[in-house]
Amino acid sequence: MTLVRSSVHVSLTNSLFQTSLMDNNLNVTYLTLDGYVEVHKYRYLYFVIMFTAYFLIICFNSIIVCLIVIHKNLHEPMYIFIAALLLNSVLLSTALYPKILFDVLSEKQIISYPACLFQWFIYFSLGYSEFLLLAAMAYDRYVSICKPLQYRTIMTKRNICILLVVAWILPACQFAAPVVISSNIKLCNFNYKGIICSSSLLKLHCVTSRVLYIYGLVVLINLLILPVLFILFTYIRIFIIKYQSGREVRRKAAQTCLPHLIVLINYSCLFGFDVLIARMETNFPTTVHLIMSLQVLLYHPLFNPIIYGLKMKEISKHLRKLFYSGCPSVFCLFM
């Protein structure tokens, strides 16, 4: 008799839970994440891939950040900005990966609406911060190469701190408004086609907010288009000025600027897709959307430390010393 009552209680609980997810007349607070492809069939494959990627992201980025912190000859503005960029990837991955790992092992891939808004806020705040950090790195290279005599007076510790604070605080402040507005807009669809909450969340609103649309364009221009144009203009100026110099000078300029340009092009293509898809009426296939989301989550955070570790001469030198010494773990950095 007790078992019968228990089973009835469980079935009623599940029924009420499902109703709370699907009934639009109730105060629904959960969204179904419908961005996975056959997650019930490949859940363990998803988990192994995502867990391995998260582990490598933390290790690769942290190793380079620790090298920059420990070695005094890397306490230069260029390397400080690189450390900030890699730290940004660690923060973004840590904000997203635990939830994804939990989802792929769960029977239902769901998220509460407030948690989804918070994830959207973190994803875009740190995502836009990357463009501002790349812009700061481009400015640093411009001053170093084109105004070498004024470099020490311009790139002071105070100015570096200001650039870093602006790069992290400005996106968060600008993106707080659309998140707050979205929290008060009624939802008419609770099936979110994605694995992480982003601008596609706007498609779930009952009414398209003109204010949100216009404000989103302003944020897009301020935090993505303008930094990218500034970076391109800066590097064009560098290459024009150094084109008239000797071959060795041009080679050194290309050696320091090329990694930044590669990272910029890579990230702009991946992040731009996620921004534009929310403003397009066309619904992309789930597989395409999943692949592009995984590119941002897997490929880019692993791409940065590899590029800077291989292409930046001083970092590469310290990495070779670290691994050739036979150190078994990252903790050897502190020995």
Side-chain angles (χ1 to χ4, degrees), residues 30 97 112 143 155-156 170 175 185 208 228 245 247 267 312:
Y30 284 88
Y97 269 90
S112 67
V143 176
M155 299 305 296
T156 61
L170 183 61
F175 205 70
I185 296 179
T208 302
V228 169
S245 305
R247 179 180 296 180
Y267 191 63
M312 305 304 291

Side-chain angles (χ1 to χ4, degrees), residues 133-172:
L133 288 171
L134 288 170
M137 293 167 71
Y139 178 69
D140 171 70
R141 290 300 84 208
Y142 172 77
V143 176
S144 174
I145 295 173
C146 301
K147 299 181 179 181
L149 298 180
Q150 304 175 40
Y151 183 74
R152 293 297 175 185
T153 57
I154 295 175
M155 299 305 296
T156 61
K157 290 183 178 180
R158 179 174 176 272
N159 290 338
I160 293 171
C161 290
I162 291 173
L163 289 173
L164 291 176
V165 170
V166 169
W168 273 313
I169 298 299
L170 183 61

Side-chain angles (χ1 to χ4, degrees), residues 109-125:
Q109 291 71 48
I110 60 173
I111 186 171
S112 67
Y113 186 52
C116 192
L117 289 174
F118 179 73
Q119 192 180 71
W120 180 30
F121 171 76
I122 294 295
Y123 176 47
F124 269 70
S125 295

Side-chain angles (χ1 to χ4, degrees), residues 236-252:
I236 288 172
R237 287 280 300 162
I238 291 173
F239 288 128
I240 288 176
I241 293 174
K242 291 306 175 183
Y243 182 77
Q244 302 171 354
S245 305
R247 179 180 296 180
E248 183 64 21
V249 176
R250 291 199 299 270
R251 187 187 66 81
K252 289 182 178 180

Side-chain angles (χ1 to χ4, degrees), residues 14-25:
N14 291 335
S15 177
L16 289 172
F17 179 71
Q18 291 172 1
T19 303
S20 67
L21 289 175
M22 303 303 295
D23 192 351
N24 294 350
N25 296 321

Side-chain angles (χ1 to χ4, degrees), residues 55-304:
F55 177 78
L56 293 177
I57 288 168
I58 297 298
C59 288
F60 288 175
N61 287 277
S62 298
I63 286 173
I64 295 181
V65 171
C66 289
L67 285 174
I68 293 172
V69 170
I70 291 171
H71 296 284
K72 291 185 178 181
N73 68 321
L74 297 181
H75 292 181
E76 298 291 332
M78 177 177 64
Y79 299 111
I80 293 173
F81 288 129
I82 290 175
L85 193 71
L86 300 183
L87 180 61
N88 197 70
S89 294
V90 172
L91 293 174
L92 182 59
S93 298
T94 302
L96 300 178
Y97 269 90
K99 171 61 176 165
I100 295 173
L101 293 172
F102 177 80
D103 283 339
V104 296
L105 293 181
S106 302
E107 289 299 322
K108 297 180 182 296
Q109 291 71 48
I110 60 173
I111 186 171
S112 67
Y113 186 52
C116 192
L117 289 174
F118 179 73
Q119 192 180 71
W120 180 30
F121 171 76
I122 294 295
Y123 176 47
F124 269 70
S125 295
L126 294 177
Y128 282 126
S129 292
E130 187 132 351
F131 288 103
L132 296 181
L133 288 171
L134 288 170
M137 293 167 71
Y139 178 69
D140 171 70
R141 290 300 84 208
Y142 172 77
V143 176
S144 174
I145 295 173
C146 301
K147 299 181 179 181
L149 298 180
Q150 304 175 40
Y151 183 74
R152 293 297 175 185
T153 57
I154 295 175
M155 299 305 296
T156 61
K157 290 183 178 180
R158 179 174 176 272
N159 290 338
I160 293 171
C161 290
I162 291 173
L163 289 173
L164 291 176
V165 170
V166 169
W168 273 313
I169 298 299
L170 183 61
C173 292
Q174 291 201 14
F175 205 70
V179 172
V180 172
I181 294 172
S182 296
S183 65
N184 297 316
I185 296 179
K186 184 180 179 181
L187 299 179
C188 283
N189 186 1
F190 305 98
N191 193 39
Y192 179 75
K193 294 191 176 298
I195 63 174
I196 54 173
C197 295
S198 62
S199 293
S200 299
L201 192 64
L202 299 175
K203 293 183 177 181
L204 305 184
H205 294 167
C206 295
V207 180
T208 302
S209 173
R210 190 173 183 83
V211 174
L212 271 180
Y213 185 83
I214 295 173
Y215 188 85
L217 285 177
V218 173
V219 172
L220 181 67
I221 292 170
N222 286 343
L223 300 179
L224 194 153
I225 295 176
L226 289 180
V228 169
L229 291 177
F230 173 79
I231 294 168
L232 294 177
F233 172 78
T234 302
Y235 283 129
I236 288 172
R237 287 280 300 162
I238 291 173
F239 288 128
I240 288 176
I241 293 174
K242 291 306 175 183
Y243 182 77
Q244 302 171 354
S245 305
R247 179 180 296 180
E248 183 64 21
V249 176
R250 291 199 299 270
R251 187 187 66 81
K252 289 182 178 180
Q255 187 180 34
T256 57
C257 295
L258 189 59
H260 306 321
L261 282 174
I262 293 173
V263 170
L264 173 67
I265 294 170
N266 171 69
Y267 191 63
S268 298
C269 293
L270 296 177
F271 194 78
F273 171 84
D274 209 26
V275 172
L276 293 175
I277 195 173
R279 300 184 175 275
M280 298 176 65
E281 295 298 328
T282 305
N283 288 323
F284 283 83
T286 304
T287 305
V288 175
H289 202 169
L290 177 63
I291 291 173
M292 294 305 297
S293 298
L294 291 177
Q295 291 287 311
V296 178
L297 290 169
L298 300 175
Y299 174 65
H300 181 69
L302 289 171
F303 180 77
N304 283 359

